[in-house]
Amino acid sequence: MASREVSTMIKHGFIADPSLSFSPSRTTSPAKLSSPPPPSPPPPPPPLNEPTHSNPTLFDMMSEEHHREPRRKSHARVAQIMAEFKNGVVYGLSLGPSDVKLTVVGKDGYRVTMDVHRKVLSEKSRFFMEKMSCRREKGVSHMVEISECDDVEIYVETVVLMYCDDLKKKLVGENVIKILALLKVSAAISFDEGVMSCLEHLEAAPWSEDEEEVVVSCLDELHLPEDSVALILQRVSSEPTRARTDDIFLKLLTGVLQAKDDKARREMKVLVFKLIREEADHEVSKDTLYGLCHRCLTSLVLCLSEVTTQMNDPGKDRGALMGEIAREADNMLWMVDILIEKKMCDEFVKLWADQKELADLHSKIPTMYRHEISKITAQICVGIGRGRILVNRETRFAVLNTWLEALYDDFGWMRRLSSRSLDRKLVEDGLSQTILTLSLRQQQVILMKWFDRFLSKGDDCPNVQRAFEVWWRRAFIRQVIAEPDASQLQITLYD
């Protein structure tokens, strides 16, 4: 039987090129192919002033060994794939003798030659069908070389998949990165069945967060038909609207605020706060957050009103009363944290300063029940003191006028019962800085009252000595400009 061999080079990625056509001018005889090539001229001798070789360093040897082990493993896997391919395909199927020698060459020079069938390649791959359609004579043998491959193993596996009857079953158990590599090669050679099987696998398989980014990037690079990848990308992308985003956040926040299990509520508060902190593209609307703040304030007022009527009831569990107040106060504190994080807390400071009814109810309840509420004031002072809440001086003074006395009274209980969650130094620094943002006269009134309170209560009173020192130096040592202050000082501190 007459046999002719057609040889061509297919560059990395099967990039189409006019030189890849199977033309008669590229046909050679077997004898000519088997004859050794003429010897190449010897290389010129190196210059005398340069060494002919250098001894490898320990780093070079370690680096070479580091890269050698993965190559050995990859070569071993390729050898196993080739053995299974020969036993299961070439000798197991009635395809007749092979008529194509396919050589895959890696960038490192590693070569693998496969005996394959033109019929299979042409039926499975539109690329091979086009390249081999010009030579249909019986007995013609093609030699095809794929050079400069990134991963020889993946190219070989892709060819093997062309012989597989059930690709979906064959790919079960493969990891996402391997599937993406097979998808790239299948797309490059127009192996449509391989492309669809890889896409179906990606749609059904779970991804890690790291793999998710690789999947999206790979599908974007391949420019596959939109209808073939849309179902996959729906897992990670959508077209959210402001109304939809607000609706979701409203359900999450409301669910946490109304949760019945305390442990689950604490865990979900941490999680939702983390998600809100990370959320940047779709801001939670101010109306949504302040709507929930008003709900929390209303619940807190109702709770304190009930407690004032039930406090002297011997049949009422005092622990339950404390739990109800602590729960409502903790909800309010969580909302304040969210407002500070989203830089929306300025209006709440004014709202908190105006809570005269709540402050009045607070004063009628024993400290052991109410001290959690003063954490809200403490958090506001921390926010102001660290520059995360920016409000005018009247509002800053008003919030202290309404709640500073309560904070003084509750601080001892806050310190003892909330030692793990309360950062005393942070609160004291925040309160000091807040006081120092007021006018000198306002500073004087507040700090002189604090001086008397601290001398009588000691550690049960916030220590704002730093603010006291700064005020003293401002007022009596470094005063440069006499500041007129016509504001009416109406703060009332009870001993």
Side-chain angles (χ1 to χ4, degrees):
M1 179 184 300
S3 173
R4 289 176 294 172
E5 298 180 355
V6 180
S7 176
T8 188
M9 293 291 291
I10 303 179
K11 290 298 181 185
H12 172 60
F14 300 91
I15 300 175
D17 189 276
S19 64
L20 300 182
S21 61
F22 291 85
S23 62
S25 63
R26 304 189 62 153
T27 305
T28 57
S29 66
K32 186 174 181 179
L33 286 176
S34 60
S35 61
S40 58
L48 295 177
N49 59 344
E50 293 184 8
T52 57
H53 67 277
S54 59
N55 294 326
T57 66
L58 177 60
F59 175 79
D60 293 334
M61 291 187 290
M62 292 176 64
S63 178
E64 176 63 23
E65 183 62 27
H66 175 73
H67 291 89
R68 190 179 299 159
E69 184 60 25
R71 287 200 296 267
R72 279 200 294 259
K73 291 182 179 180
S74 178
H75 296 176
R77 287 194 297 268
V78 170
Q80 182 181 355
I81 293 169
M82 291 294 296
E84 294 174 354
F85 175 66
K86 289 180 180 179
N87 294 332
V89 176
V90 177
Y91 303 119
L93 300 177
S94 301
L95 294 172
S98 64
D99 51 8
V100 177
K101 281 192 175 296
L102 176 63
T103 301
V104 183
V105 185
K107 289 184 175 180
D108 59 354
Y110 176 55
R111 306 171 65 90
V112 176
T113 299
M114 306 175 68
D115 292 322
V116 292
H117 302 78
R118 187 178 71 176
K119 179 176 184 295
V120 175
L121 297 185
S122 298
E123 288 180 354
K124 298 289 186 176
S125 164
R126 286 182 285 110
F127 174 82
F128 283 119
M129 180 181 66
E130 294 171 2
K131 296 304 179 185
M132 297 179 180
S133 62
C134 60
R135 306 298 297 180
R136 293 185 177 276
E137 295 96 325
K138 187 176 181 180
V140 171
S141 177
H142 295 288
M143 295 181 65
V144 180
E145 183 173 288
I146 308 171
S147 63
E148 298 183 14
C149 298
D150 286 328
D151 192 331
V152 171
E153 179 186 347
I154 294 298
Y155 276 79
V156 170
E157 280 202 65
T158 304
V159 174
V160 171
L161 288 177
M162 293 185 184
Y163 287 82
C164 184
D165 293 329
D166 190 348
L167 285 181
K168 181 178 180 181
K169 182 178 180 181
K170 182 73 173 177
L171 296 177
V172 170
E174 298 289 0
N175 63 60
V176 171
I177 302 302
K178 175 72 168 291
I179 295 296
L180 290 174
L182 293 170
L183 174 62
K184 288 182 179 179
V185 176
S186 298
I189 62 175
S190 301
F191 175 26
D192 295 337
E193 188 179 349
V195 170
M196 292 309 300
S197 296
C198 289
L199 292 177
E200 289 174 1
H201 184 102
L202 290 173
E203 197 284 322
W207 316 331
S208 68
E209 286 194 83
D210 292 337
E211 290 171 341
E212 177 181 308
E213 295 182 7
V214 179
V215 170
V216 174
S217 174
C218 178
L219 295 180
D220 184 59
E221 290 174 4
L222 292 178
H223 301 292
L224 297 171
E226 186 175 347
D227 57 346
S228 65
V229 300
L231 192 62
I232 298 174
L233 294 179
Q234 283 177 5
R235 185 186 299 191
V236 296
S237 63
S238 63
E239 296 181 359
T241 61
R242 169 57 68 88
R244 179 171 174 267
T245 304
D246 277 351
D247 184 58
I248 291 174
F249 273 116
L250 180 60
K251 289 180 179 178
L252 293 176
L253 295 170
T254 303
V256 171
L257 294 173
Q258 297 176 352
K260 299 185 182 301
D261 187 276
D262 286 340
K263 181 176 181 294
R265 184 169 63 94
R266 288 193 297 270
E267 291 179 359
M268 289 301 102
K269 278 186 174 181
V270 173
L271 174 62
V272 173
F273 185 80
K274 175 186 175 184
L275 296 177
I276 289 177
R277 172 179 287 173
E278 294 176 352
E279 174 264 337
D281 294 335
H282 310 289
E283 287 284 345
V284 189
S285 76
K286 193 173 186 179
D287 291 342
T288 297
L289 294 178
Y290 272 91
L292 290 172
C293 285
H294 282 285
R295 285 194 209 174
C296 290
L297 281 173
T298 300
S299 297
L300 194 56
V301 170
L302 290 175
C303 181
L304 264 64
S305 297
E306 292 177 4
V307 169
T308 55
T309 60
Q310 300 173 5
M311 193 169 47
N312 297 321
D313 185 355
K316 189 66 177 179
D317 184 2
R318 292 191 174 187
L321 293 176
M322 291 178 63
E324 291 175 13
I325 297 175
R327 177 190 176 89
E328 297 298 339
D330 187 57
N331 282 342
M332 188 74 263
L333 182 62
W334 186 54
M335 291 304 304
V336 171
D337 287 338
I338 293 174
L339 290 175
I340 294 174
E341 181 63 33
K342 305 308 291 184
K343 302 178 182 179
M344 299 179 183
C345 199
D346 50 334
E347 291 184 17
F348 181 81
V349 179
K350 179 69 168 63
L351 185 63
W352 189 243
D354 292 339
Q355 296 303 306
K356 307 297 184 182
E357 180 185 0
L358 184 61
D360 183 61
L361 290 170
H362 178 278
S363 66
K364 297 176 181 178
I365 298 174
T367 308
M368 62 182 297
Y369 297 140
R370 72 188 193 197
H371 66 273
E372 294 284 347
I373 298 174
S374 288
K375 289 183 180 179
I376 301 168
T377 305
Q379 188 69 338
I380 289 173
C381 289
V382 170
I384 294 174
R386 300 178 73 179
R388 301 194 67 190
I389 304 175
L390 301 178
V391 290
N392 59 42
R393 190 174 70 186
E394 288 72 19
T395 302
R396 298 194 300 271
F397 182 74
V399 79
L400 294 179
N401 188 35
T402 303
W403 289 105
L404 185 58
E405 176 69 15
L407 178 61
Y408 285 168
D409 288 340
D410 295 345
F411 193 77
W413 281 86
M414 291 166 58
R415 181 177 60 83
R416 287 189 290 271
L417 299 184
S418 306
S419 57
R420 293 184 180 180
S421 60
L422 180 73
D423 187 332
R424 174 172 183 164
K425 186 177 185 304
L426 186 66
V427 172
E428 291 173 341
D429 287 347
L431 180 56
S432 295
Q433 291 288 3
T434 301
I435 294 171
L436 291 173
T437 63
L438 304 176
S439 70
L440 277 177
R441 287 198 178 184
Q442 291 170 335
Q443 294 174 42
Q444 177 180 333
V445 171
I446 291 175
L447 290 170
M448 290 303 294
K449 292 291 185 181
W450 165 84
F451 187 82
D452 293 336
R453 172 63 70 101
F454 187 74
L455 288 176
S456 61
K457 297 294 184 180
D459 284 345
D460 284 346
C461 180
N463 189 339
V464 292
Q465 289 186 44
R466 178 180 172 277
F468 191 88
E469 292 176 21
V470 172
W471 161 72
W472 182 270
R473 286 193 289 269
R474 284 176 177 177
F476 303 111
I477 299 176
R478 294 201 305 262
Q479 187 172 20
V480 177
I481 301 174
E483 179 187 354
D485 183 9
S487 63
Q488 301 268 334
L489 300 183
Q490 296 179 349
I491 187 168
T492 304
L493 299 179
Y494 298 95
D495 294 327

